[in-house]
Amino acid sequence: MKTSTIEGNIVEEYKIGNTTIKICDAAYKDKTPEDIEKILKRIMEIGIRIYEKEVKE
């Protein structure tokens, strides 16, 4: 099994069949609320572009 070198805390863990999914807070660790808001806004913008592309096809 491959291990990760990402620094952070596991905040959620799910098991689906033989797959374990671990949610880590590394992307938000040591970030200000403003930084987190920018990250979430960027994710939203990417999601909207993907959705609009799918709707047009």
Side-chain angles (χ1 to χ4, degrees), residues 28-51:
Y28 302 101
K29 187 177 175 187
D30 302 324
K31 300 280 190 219
T32 66
E34 292 80 17
D35 291 336
I36 294 171
E37 189 64 34
K38 287 179 187 176
I39 292 167
L40 293 174
K41 184 177 178 188
R42 181 76 176 124
I43 291 168
M44 182 182 66
E45 290 169 351
I46 292 168
I48 289 170
R49 278 201 320 264
I50 291 169
Y51 174 77

